[in-house]
Amino acid sequence: MKSRCRGIAAATTLMFAAVLASCGQSSAVRTIPLEGPLLLRMAPPEGQVSRYAYSMETSIESPMMPSTGGPLVTMAWQQIQTILSADDEVIRVRGAVDSASTTMGLPMPGMDDMLPDLSGMSFTVDMDPRGSVLQVVESQGVPEDAGVTVETMLQGAGHSVLPEEEVSPGDSWLVETPIELPMGTGGTMSMDMEFTYTFVSLADGLATLSFEGPMDMDMDFQGMAMSGAGTLSGTLVVDLVEGRNVSQTSRQSMEMSVAGTSMTVNTTTTLELMPDS
């Protein structure tokens, strides 16, 4: 069960990466005619505050587990993101989780103690204009039993999502995202992901990006080996005028093999920008 807990924590990497890598574009970009190529770069205004609602549902298909008729685990939380400073090279962002909840689809004694409570967690990071996390400046409230740190949770955000060159709707680019997570004493989990991002459309200042690609995972936890392969796909919608992410959805499906038993793990994530209060 603890290995599954850490797998869920690893999946949050993609959520944090999505939010941090889609904060916005520079004022110079907004002056370019919408039908022309755009140099997608991040330059949100200093002091901007955004509240996001996240949810993540995980279901497992396996002959060894009873059907729940729905997700096995549902995690939801709200995060406030504040732009502390921004220039042409470095953007400093502070994120804080102010509420979180976990719902189990089946009674699983002791599972609540194994799942990390993210409430009250906060972190400050420096990013570059293409969306790569350069460093974690500080973090607070990370559960000690979560098995990961802010640095490991944000590994997926350490790789540029935005393209190096100008792009027009219909253009695509490749992003390779290897992730290494600790799994207890001497244990590790590695994931290799290669996503194709596509600039789908631009309308009323909203840019829609899609992504899809294969994922491969290998895990060693207290002598138990697990491997998996699957795919992840989704969309991002970015407000180029306000310089922030509006929404994100993704679906991950992994075929897992452990101790001679196979299972399918499906994870769906959503992110929504909440209205200003």
Side-chain angles (χ1 to χ4, degrees):
M1 289 302 179
K2 183 164 288 189
S3 63
R4 185 180 303 144
C5 163
R6 291 196 169 98
I8 293 172
T12 62
T13 298
L14 299 175
M15 294 290 288
F16 286 118
V19 142
L20 292 174
S22 304
C23 290
Q25 322 302 326
S26 70
S27 58
V29 166
R30 296 172 202 149
T31 65
I32 298 176
L34 297 184
E35 65 270 16
L38 301 178
L39 185 63
L40 300 182
R41 293 293 182 267
M42 297 168 53
E46 182 176 328
Q48 182 187 77
V49 177
S50 304
R51 180 185 291 273
Y52 292 97
Y54 302 83
S55 68
M56 180 165 57
E57 296 183 346
T58 299
S59 62
I60 297 179
E61 302 173 14
S62 170
M64 303 298 292
M65 294 187 64
S67 173
T68 64
L72 177 64
V73 181
T74 299
M75 300 181 69
W77 61 95
Q78 293 184 7
Q79 178 182 326
I80 298 175
Q81 178 177 288
T82 304
I83 305 301
L84 302 181
S85 63
D87 58 34
D88 292 339
E89 296 183 357
V90 179
I91 303 163
R92 181 158 291 187
V93 185
R94 183 180 189 273
V97 178
D98 63 358
S99 65
S101 64
T102 301
T103 303
M104 305 297 301
L106 286 175
M108 303 181 73
M111 191 64 177
D112 289 343
D113 296 331
M114 295 182 181
L115 291 170
D117 182 4
L118 302 178
S119 299
M121 185 182 74
S122 65
F123 55 89
T124 300
V125 300
D126 284 343
M127 304 169 54
D128 71 14
R130 289 183 60 203
S132 296
V133 172
L134 303 174
Q135 65 172 342
V136 176
V137 178
E138 62 86 22
S139 62
Q140 296 179 347
V142 180
E144 294 182 359
D145 59 350
V148 295
T149 64
V150 170
E151 285 82 357
T152 55
M153 290 176 70
L154 293 178
Q155 280 190 52
H159 304 268
S160 298
V161 169
L162 300 181
E164 184 175 357
E165 306 294 338
E166 293 182 344
V167 290
S168 299
D171 291 344
S172 299
W173 59 97
L174 191 66
V175 177
E176 296 182 356
T177 309
I179 296 175
E180 296 283 343
L181 292 174
M183 297 292 292
T185 304
T188 60
M189 181 175 72
S190 64
M191 297 183 70
D192 290 320
M193 299 177 285
E194 186 177 274
F195 300 136
T196 298
Y197 278 79
T198 301
F199 186 7
V200 177
S201 64
L202 182 63
D204 298 326
L206 298 179
T208 298
L209 310 179
S210 68
F211 58 91
E212 61 179 349
M215 305 175 64
D216 292 296
M217 188 205 77
D218 288 294
M219 185 185 75
D220 183 2
F221 177 66
Q222 296 183 352
M224 179 181 67
M226 179 182 292
S227 61
T231 59
L232 185 142
S233 62
T235 60
L236 303 172
V237 178
V238 184
D239 190 323
L240 302 185
V241 178
E242 296 185 359
R244 56 184 173 183
N245 198 14
V246 173
S247 65
Q248 177 262 341
T249 61
S250 69
R251 177 175 175 80
Q252 171 188 318
S253 181
M254 294 280 287
E255 297 292 330
M256 310 289 294
S257 176
V258 55
T261 301
S262 62
M263 66 183 72
T264 302
V265 181
N266 297 311
T267 301
T268 301
T269 64
T270 63
L271 172 149
E272 293 288 341
L273 175 66
M274 302 177 66
D276 294 334
S277 57

